[in-house]
Amino acid sequence: MPDTMQCQLISWRQFHALARQLALRVRQAGFQPDLIVAIGRGGYLPARVLADYLGIFDLTGFRIEHYRGAHKERLARVRDPLTVDITGKRVLLVDDVSDSGDTFVVALSHLQGQGEPEVLKTAVLQHKTVSEFTPDFYAELVREWCWIIYPWALMEDLRGFLRDMPGPAPTVQSFAAYLRERYGIEVDRQSLEDVLGVCRSSPTDS
């Protein structure tokens, strides 16, 4: 693992602003889906907020496993398949970010077995220019690669960073300094206390 890895920490307020912007772009494009499909786990919350903004009640999802924290699994794979027939529907497929593009390739292949939609569009909060897949809609373009930490995955990512931290058992102060130096992020004290407390009470966490 490199000595440093640039990260972007997204707050709940920033998430809401991105989701709102994404909804506006979908609406401005004149696309009105009748079904929103979330790619789990990262797409669950963006899809729910989009459904709220766009007035869509038909919301479902399926789960693809690719990352555990900031550690990438070898292959993206469907773990919990979609059980809805999408034939004849205007579908919006939603994830949090397009990173490598692998997740969307697997997701779109999976949807081919769920019927023939009238229209199928894709959307993310943030699209990285390094991705080999470009979604139809995105709220923000990320030109320089970084690992993006969304608020619903903060504890998971911090646990991963903690496992990689060398030396003796960390304090809140030493962990905060490590995160600043290696990942370029400032994390609030409560979150640091929470993750240290959880990890100390769960020594077999993996």
Side-chain angles (χ1 to χ4, degrees):
M1 198 169 186
D3 291 337
T4 61
M5 183 174 75
Q6 191 61 37
C7 293
Q8 180 185 10
L9 190 61
I10 302 294
S11 68
W12 285 109
R13 182 182 295 273
Q14 289 170 315
F15 157 61
H16 181 265
L18 287 167
R20 177 181 178 275
Q21 179 64 29
L22 181 58
L24 290 174
R25 291 191 174 180
V26 172
R27 190 176 295 279
Q28 289 165 358
F31 181 61
Q32 182 64 20
D34 46 39
L35 171 65
I36 292 179
V37 178
I39 300 175
R41 297 176 297 158
Y44 290 147
L45 286 174
R48 179 61 184 91
V49 175
L50 276 178
D52 190 31
Y53 268 100
L54 298 174
I56 307 300
F57 289 91
D58 202 354
L59 172 65
T60 188
F62 62 101
R63 185 164 68 97
I64 290 180
E65 191 170 80
H66 199 162
Y67 286 96
R68 287 189 179 272
H71 298 277
K72 188 176 181 179
E73 298 292 315
R74 182 173 298 177
L75 294 172
R77 54 185 177 175
V78 176
R79 292 297 300 269
D80 299 312
L82 188 67
T83 58
V84 173
D85 185 357
I86 62 174
T87 299
K89 296 183 178 181
R90 298 170 62 83
V91 179
L92 183 63
L93 180 65
V94 179
D95 204 358
D96 50 2
V97 62
S98 51
D99 191 305
S100 66
D102 294 351
T103 298
F104 270 107
V105 171
V106 172
L108 291 170
S109 176
H110 178 61
L111 288 186
Q112 289 178 0
Q114 310 304 314
E116 184 65 35
E118 178 185 340
V119 182
L120 175 58
K121 300 284 188 180
T122 54
V124 295
L125 299 174
Q126 293 170 290
H127 169 55
K128 299 181 182 180
T129 56
V130 297
S131 175
E132 295 184 4
F133 178 85
T134 301
D136 296 292
F137 306 106
Y138 53 87
E140 181 177 82
L141 184 64
V142 180
R143 298 185 183 279
E144 294 187 13
W145 189 92
C146 64
W147 178 254
I148 300 173
I149 304 173
Y150 293 103
W152 54 83
L154 177 61
M155 292 295 105
E156 178 180 327
D157 285 346
L158 290 181
R159 283 196 299 270
F161 295 156
L162 184 60
R163 284 193 292 269
D164 292 334
M165 184 176 176
T171 63
V172 168
Q173 291 77 14
S174 65
F175 190 33
Y178 173 73
L179 293 172
R180 281 195 299 271
E181 179 180 352
R182 186 163 186 177
Y183 302 103
I185 54 174
E186 292 281 350
V187 180
D188 66 277
R189 184 180 182 87
Q190 184 63 69
S191 294
L192 295 173
E193 290 177 347
D194 287 347
V195 74
L196 288 172
V198 168
C199 287
R200 285 168 181 162
S201 65
S202 305
T204 58
D205 180 82
S206 60

